Amino acid sequence: MTEKTQQIFGKENPSAKPLFGLLPEELRALVESMGLKKYRAVQIAEALYRQHVTTLDAISVLPQALREELAAAGYCVGLPEIIQTALSVDGTERYLIQLADSETVETVWMPEGDGGERGDGSEAAMEEEAADGLEGNTSEFEPRRDMRNTGALELAGYRRATLCISSQVGCAVNCQFCLTAKLGIRRNLTAGEIAGQVVAVMNRQGIRIGKDRINLVFMGMGEPFLNYDELMKSVHLLAGSIGIPESRMTVSTSGVLPSILRFAAEPVRPKLALSLNASNDAVREQIMPITKKWNIGQLLDALKTIPLGKREWITFEYVLLGGVNDQPRHARELLELLKGIRSKVNLIVWNPGPGIDFRQPNPEDVAVFQKMLIAGGMSAYMRRPRGRDIYAACGQLKRTVESDTPLVGIQA
Ligand code: SAH
Ligand code: SF4
């Protein structure tokens, strides 16, 4: 490497323009604008999205002079960087990921997933149920088999995991039970930053596309449907260029009505989960102020416009908050509410966080709630709480740097 190249290539310049995140047609336009042949765009896309390079210099298929030209024109790879790792006793890993402007988001790696996919009819669900040895509904109080399964799958030659990714730095929605809400909204992530979290973690975990089974859930920090365009662009990158099919992705929304309607018309779309969390508007308004803008009835009507595939269900997430929404009358109301919608319910026991004034539900109430839904003909599953000890579970994501909670097991 020449001295000049070394200067250009050193640590990536934070103000450089990232190539990672450009769609194939955008890369083509870029190389053409530089007077280069079209096939260079294919080579760059291959390096970014298949080989997962982290620096321009690693795109070895390009002549050195061309790599220098790209750097001199102000481009970099621009993959977000994992700067901190916390490992849970249950195998979950939480990553602090740094973006070019030094903002950070959190991403969570759950070997064996958290049960969120069970019962939604997808291939990921079948795998999850098979690995669990389950045929029907289950509760979080059953004995855990994760570690054994991880080993078994590795022996079978592949790994299965769910990756929970962020769509915004912070969140504007202000759900009263969620730690991310405490941050407020700082900014939207770009498509490259959303898809980049996936590639950064794949690099770390040595994931092989086409072999390992990776499911993606857009359930990290932020409200994906308030960053709709970049979210959908990231879905196209992940499905079209990185090689994770949209049928293995689930987007979770707190209920942004205009985006649900747009989503219904998408030719390529992930599965959808609505964070319902209440069985009537009065309770939902208290815990999710967004309900004042779009109420439950309006949201359910919008969901009905989504053309569901043969084996597709809409998932409703329901965080059980002790004494607030976890009583038998709520279960009855919920059954009534979801009548006629092809739905499954994922029950999540509320994960506590500092400064949040709720209490966890009693285990007996949880069991009764789930039983009542099942008896009423609903598919109702418990999401396994993953990584609670490291604040990696649902609603516990907050930028670690600002967290007042000490981290367990930081590996840096
Ligand atoms: N903003 C989107 C996606 C991120 S939140 C949404 O709200 O759907 C992902 C899930 O975590 C949502 O279903 C939300 O209701 C749930 N959640 C938030 N805080 C939680 C907490 N403290 N304990 C358990 N689940 C929580
Ligand atoms: Fe935002 Fe989702 Fe948390 Fe609500 S639950 S504040 S929408 S991240």
Side-chain angles (χ1 to χ4, degrees):
M1 201 191 281
T2 64
E3 202 178 313
K4 180 172 146 238
T5 329
Q6 242 157 4
Q7 279 167 10
I8 294 174
F9 283 133
K11 178 115 177 129
E12 288 202 317
N13 175 358
S15 59
K17 295 169 276 187
L19 293 174
F20 192 99
L22 296 180
L23 292 166
E25 56 269 30
E26 292 173 322
L27 285 172
R28 207 173 314 130
L30 171 70
V31 298
E32 280 176 354
S33 74
M34 292 175 75
L36 303 170
K37 293 264 169 39
K38 275 189 202 155
Y39 74 91
R40 293 296 185 198
V42 177
Q43 291 177 324
I44 296 173
E46 172 78 19
L48 294 173
Y49 302 130
R50 294 287 170 172
Q51 293 161 13
H52 304 165
V53 296
T54 56
T55 61
L56 284 181
D57 199 35
I59 313 182
S60 50
V61 65
L62 299 182
Q64 177 76 23
L66 184 45
R67 286 177 256 166
E68 286 181 14
E69 200 181 322
L70 279 167
Y75 288 98
C76 64
V77 167
L79 197 63
E81 200 187 336
I82 297 177
I83 56 166
Q84 221 176 57
T85 302
L87 177 64
S88 162
V89 288
D90 68 16
T92 298
E93 276 188 23
R94 181 179 67 161
Y95 308 113
L96 185 68
I97 296 202
Q98 190 169 50
L99 311 171
D101 60 356
S102 293
E103 288 285 9
T104 50
V105 289
E106 298 196 331
T107 303
V108 181
W109 166 262
M110 295 174 279
E112 295 306 297
D114 66 353
E117 247 102 22
R118 284 185 301 214
D120 70 8
S122 66
E123 196 183 328
M126 313 279 192
E127 283 165 17
E128 192 147 302
E129 285 154 26
D132 277 357
L134 294 171
E135 271 156 22
N137 299 334
T138 185
S139 97
E140 82 163 298
F141 307 109
E142 283 195 4
R144 298 283 310 287
R145 306 186 186 84
D146 303 15
M147 302 323 270
R148 194 196 72 190
N149 283 334
T150 308
L153 291 180
E154 267 176 13
L155 281 179
Y158 73 93
R159 290 200 286 160
R160 193 170 63 83
T162 296
L163 190 51
C164 176
I165 54 183
S166 294
S167 55
Q168 299 183 306
V169 184
C171 186
V173 178
N174 201 20
C175 302
Q176 301 297 297
F177 49 82
C178 173
L179 200 53
T180 306
K182 299 264 177 203
L183 289 172
I185 177 74
R186 293 182 60 98
R187 72 168 172 86
N188 280 337
L189 296 193
T190 63
E193 290 168 335
I194 299 173
Q197 294 165 63
V198 178
V199 168
V201 175
M202 282 170 69
N203 277 349
R204 178 182 167 87
Q205 293 285 346
I207 288 303
R208 305 146 304 169
I209 283 292
K211 225 167 187 187
D212 298 319
R213 318 285 166 86
I214 300 302
N215 302 313
L216 298 181
V217 294
F218 296 80
M219 297 189 188
M221 288 165 61
E223 169 47 57
F225 274 7
L226 286 177
N227 185 16
Y228 190 83
D229 292 331
E230 293 300 310
L231 164 80
M232 288 312 290
K233 186 176 174 188
S234 79
V235 166
H236 286 287
L237 275 173
L238 287 160
S241 299
I242 294 168
I244 301 177
E246 67 278 10
S247 59
R248 286 193 172 273
M249 303 178 198
T250 303
V251 175
S252 175
T253 180
S254 56
V256 180
L257 187 120
S259 299
I260 297 177
L261 296 175
R262 284 180 75 186
F263 186 79
E266 294 286 352
V268 173
R269 58 181 168 74
K271 295 180 288 180
L272 185 64
L274 178 79
S275 298
L276 185 57
N277 298 340
S279 56
N280 63 55
D281 283 329
V283 174
R284 197 170 193 268
E285 273 180 21
Q286 268 178 34
I287 59 175
M288 299 180 72
I290 194 173
T291 313
K292 292 185 194 126
K293 196 152 189 182
W294 299 294
N295 64 31
I296 296 178
Q298 291 171 307
L299 294 177
L300 296 184
D301 284 345
L303 289 177
K304 287 177 192 158
T305 66
I306 299 177
L308 293 182
K310 249 198 202 136
R311 290 190 3 217
E312 215 182 332
W313 278 259
I314 299 278
T315 298
F316 292 90
E317 308 283 336
Y318 196 101
V319 178
L320 290 160
L321 302 160
V324 174
N325 63 0
D326 63 344
Q327 295 304 301
R329 65 177 188 283
H330 300 122
R332 275 191 291 275
E333 234 174 9
L334 188 57
L335 279 169
E336 197 56 38
L337 201 58
L338 300 184
K339 236 184 212 160
I341 303 178
R342 250 189 27 231
S343 48
K344 62 162 275 209
V345 174
N346 270 345
L347 298 171
I348 312 170
V349 169
W350 177 66
N351 295 307
I356 308 189
D357 205 12
F358 286 98
R359 68 167 173 80
Q360 289 200 286
N362 298 324
E364 309 81 63
D365 288 344
V366 173
V368 168
F369 199 94
Q370 186 186 17
K371 277 204 183 99
M372 283 182 68
L373 293 186
I374 294 170
M378 178 67 66
S379 292
Y381 295 83
M382 294 300 309
R383 286 266 296 275
R384 293 191 285 254
R386 303 299 311 262
R388 263 190 197 152
D389 55 339
I390 53 160
Y391 272 77
C394 289
Q396 294 189 307
L397 301 186
K398 186 180 174 190
R399 288 173 307 159
T400 317
V401 275
E402 292 187 5
S403 173
D404 17 27
T405 318
L407 269 179
V408 181
I410 289 195
Q411 292 172 350

